[in-house]
Amino acid sequence: MTLQQAYSFSYDSVLISAGAVVTSLAVCWAAKIRATDRGKKEELPVKAGILARPVFGVVTILEAVLFVFSAIMLLSVKAGVYALLVLLPVFACFSYKKFKTWIKVRNHKLVFAGIIVLLAVAVVFLLLFGGVGQRLTTLKVRPYVAWADTYGFSVMEYITHPFYTLKVLAYTCVTKGSYYVWTLLGGLLGWLDITISSKVLFLVLLFLLLSLVRSPEEKNVLKKSGRIGFLLTAMAIVLLSVLGMLFYWTPMFSPVVEGVQGRYFIPPLLAALLAVGFWKRPLWKRSVGNLFAVGMPLLDFAVIICIYINIITK
């Protein structure tokens, strides 16, 4: 599914790549901090370029630029829902104990200046994407659902009828859960008209589940609080994505949320796997990791064969 979105120049490819960069940097910085705490900090070579120089603790200039650019990309699509992934470095790298220590050793004026900068950014954001009063008014307006040629309930109607909303969400999970997993893995490609063999999808799912097993290098990268933060962030993104389609793409009295596809859950998937996979799993030997490097390209080739079979038979 990721390869298809990239080949079709879909905005999903931007979301998936930016989400992967932000998540990977969060784990990278956490690993650097753990290594520093253990006294294994790697010294930079004398001739290291300026992009490799740290600007804030373990963060290099290049990493900071990549993170900021990825955060902007996440903010610019899907109403900024996926921008919640920028919180991952906070969960991965910081704890309350570390924060108290940092406050004591740092200049309080610097902390105050940082708060002022954050407030200034918030003000600029409100000015650029303002109209708060107008947005609150639109929450009471029933949206027109073009594909069904009818109207849907307003956001306020869903909020004021929480039991009905929860009923729709629960029934959606029960009736469409397998469809979401299928479309997440790439079972339906193209305009959802290219079906991939269930045998291939089963192997892809198996690789996905095998990725939950941690390696020796990953054993102590994320603390328990960091894993919980990763999981809650992924769950929040999934929930907001589904709610967005409920509010603006689902007709009135529809028993399920319409328009949701599994590909919407790919950007936070890596964070969810990291959160769940680090809990009390047996350690793999280092050589087993090569299975992923060999197996996934073979499965991608099998998917291409399935695509050509669909084209020939239709």
Side-chain angles (χ1 to χ4, degrees):
M1 179 59 73
T2 301
L3 291 175
Q4 173 190 267
Q5 299 307 106
Y7 291 151
S8 61
F9 299 101
S10 169
Y11 63 81
D12 284 331
S13 61
V14 177
L15 287 176
I16 295 170
S17 57
V21 168
V22 170
T23 306
S24 301
L25 287 176
V27 178
C28 173
W29 294 334
K32 288 182 180 180
I33 290 176
R34 303 292 178 264
T36 302
D37 293 341
R38 293 193 301 268
K40 296 180 180 180
K41 183 177 180 181
E42 296 182 2
E43 297 294 338
L44 287 173
V46 177
K47 295 184 180 181
I50 187 172
L51 295 180
R53 299 291 179 180
V55 291
F56 183 78
V58 297
V59 183
T60 66
I61 295 177
L62 179 59
E63 291 170 349
V65 171
L66 286 175
F67 184 84
V68 172
F69 180 76
S70 299
I72 294 174
M73 292 297 100
L74 292 171
L75 187 62
S76 62
V77 183
K78 289 285 187 181
V81 169
Y82 297 98
L84 290 175
L85 290 173
V86 302
L87 297 175
L88 296 183
V90 178
F91 297 127
C93 303
F94 293 98
S95 64
Y96 180 70
K97 182 178 180 180
K98 282 184 174 291
F99 180 75
K100 288 178 62 177
T101 304
W102 186 83
I103 289 293
K104 290 180 180 179
V105 301
R106 297 287 177 177
N107 189 334
H108 287 76
K109 293 182 179 180
L110 180 62
V111 178
F112 180 75
I115 296 175
I116 296 299
V117 171
L118 290 177
L119 291 176
V121 172
V123 170
V124 172
F125 180 81
L126 290 176
L127 291 176
L128 293 176
F129 306 95
V132 177
Q134 183 180 359
R135 291 179 182 273
L136 291 176
T137 302
T138 58
L139 295 180
K140 302 178 180 179
V141 178
R142 289 182 172 179
Y144 176 69
V145 183
W147 71 269
D149 194 23
T150 184
Y151 288 88
F153 287 122
S154 67
V155 176
M156 289 304 299
E157 287 175 318
Y158 281 115
I159 293 176
T160 54
H161 297 81
F163 292 107
Y164 174 78
T165 305
L166 291 175
K167 178 183 176 181
V168 173
L169 293 176
Y171 191 67
T172 300
C173 293
V174 172
T175 58
K176 290 196 171 186
S178 59
Y179 170 78
Y180 294 155
V181 175
W182 188 263
T183 51
L184 168 70
L185 298 174
L188 294 173
L189 301 178
W191 292 101
L192 302 180
D193 56 354
I194 299 178
T195 304
I196 304 303
S197 171
S198 58
K199 297 178 181 179
V200 177
L201 264 294
F202 176 78
L203 292 176
V204 175
L205 179 60
L206 180 62
F207 270 81
L208 191 65
L209 296 177
L210 285 176
S211 67
L212 297 177
V213 182
R214 62 184 180 179
S215 66
E217 294 80 6
E218 300 166 337
K219 183 178 179 181
N220 298 313
V221 173
L222 289 179
K223 299 295 184 180
K224 186 175 182 179
S225 59
R227 297 195 296 268
I228 294 174
F230 271 46
L231 184 60
L232 291 178
T233 301
M235 293 173 62
I237 291 174
V238 170
L239 178 61
L240 290 175
S241 300
V242 174
L243 288 177
M245 301 305 290
L246 173 66
F247 294 154
Y248 301 108
W249 199 253
T250 303
M252 287 189 293
F253 303 111
S254 173
V256 296
V257 180
E258 299 289 352
V260 180
Q261 298 178 30
R263 61 186 174 89
Y264 297 164
F265 308 145
I266 296 179
L269 177 63
L270 179 57
L273 292 176
L274 289 170
V276 178
F278 281 16
W279 265 316
K280 296 180 180 179
R281 303 286 181 177
L283 299 179
W284 281 98
K285 294 182 179 179
R286 188 185 303 271
S287 59
V288 179
N290 297 329
L291 176 65
F292 295 93
V294 176
M296 283 308 301
L298 292 177
L299 288 176
D300 288 334
F301 183 72
V303 170
I304 294 175
I305 295 176
C306 291
I307 293 174
Y308 277 108
I309 293 175
N310 274 265
I311 295 174
I312 295 173
T313 57
K314 288 185 178 181

